[in-house]
Amino acid sequence: ENIAELVTKRIRHLELADSSVSDVGLCSLANVCHQLVKLDLNAPTSAPRDTITDGGLIAVSKTCKSLQILYLRRCVHVTSNAVIHLAKNCRFLTSMNLSGCQRIDDEALLALAKHSAFLKSLNLNGTEVTGHVGVEALSKGRSKMNLRELQ
């Protein structure tokens, strides 16, 4: 929770996969690291990460508009609402790992298709994306020329 004490506004890449982080920490981070390009919040392989929710990611989306790479593997309380905010606010997203984010559905993909022109890689393993609606939207959306990896 003392992330803001450990980072500076010049931080562009932050790997927190092996760290304990929550929404409070993400909000602190969002207040300091406006030039963040990469944020790795993947849960450790030992257990899912249940301390990050939409609230923390929406705060990040509002101030870290240069974000390109976001890893959220097994952040089990993240929903499509957070991805929608990220897609709308972080227009330079190129890579997202949403594997194991069980509350992600086609609504998230519709937002990415509409707003994320630079998206190259998207991991959706273990999400609630069940139909063809979201995947079809991606294939016709703004990122259709760049998207090279869809899992």
Side-chain angles (χ1 to χ4, degrees):
E1 300 320 317
N2 56 354
I3 290 175
E5 297 170 11
L6 302 173
V7 296
T8 68
K9 64 182 180 179
R10 288 183 265 172
I11 293 283
R12 295 176 49 87
H13 299 258
L14 196 53
E15 309 267 344
L16 297 171
D18 293 323
S19 303
S20 175
V21 64
S22 69
D23 284 345
V24 173
L26 287 180
C27 289
S28 296
L29 176 74
N31 287 328
V32 177
C33 299
H34 296 212
Q35 300 197 7
L36 203 59
V37 173
K38 178 182 179 183
L39 180 58
D40 183 346
L41 297 169
N42 281 343
T45 54
S46 58
R49 188 182 299 276
D50 60 3
T51 55
I52 294 174
T53 68
D54 291 355
L57 291 170
I58 290 170
V60 167
S61 80
K62 289 179 180 178
T63 60
C64 302
K65 298 193 182 279
S66 298
L67 195 62
Q68 295 175 20
I69 300 167
L70 181 61
Y71 297 149
L72 299 170
R73 183 188 68 233
R74 295 177 51 212
C75 291
V76 294
H77 293 304
V78 172
T79 73
S80 290
N81 188 42
V83 176
I84 291 167
H85 279 84
L86 288 157
K88 287 180 179 178
N89 295 323
C90 304
R91 298 290 181 113
F92 300 104
L93 285 171
T94 60
S95 180
M96 290 187 79
N97 184 347
L98 300 171
S99 173
C101 297
Q102 302 160 345
R103 298 178 179 187
I104 303 296
D105 59 23
D106 283 322
E107 293 300 315
L109 273 61
L110 293 173
L112 289 168
K114 183 176 181 180
H115 301 289
S116 301
F118 302 103
L119 193 63
K120 294 178 184 176
S121 175
L122 181 62
N123 187 333
L124 298 167
N125 289 323
T127 65
E128 289 296 314
V129 175
T130 56
H132 298 287
V133 174
V135 174
E136 184 176 333
L138 283 172
S139 72
K140 295 177 180 177
R142 295 193 66 206
S143 64
K144 67 182 174 190
M145 299 303 286
N146 291 317
L147 191 60
R148 298 288 178 248
E149 182 179 0
L150 181 61
Q151 295 182 2

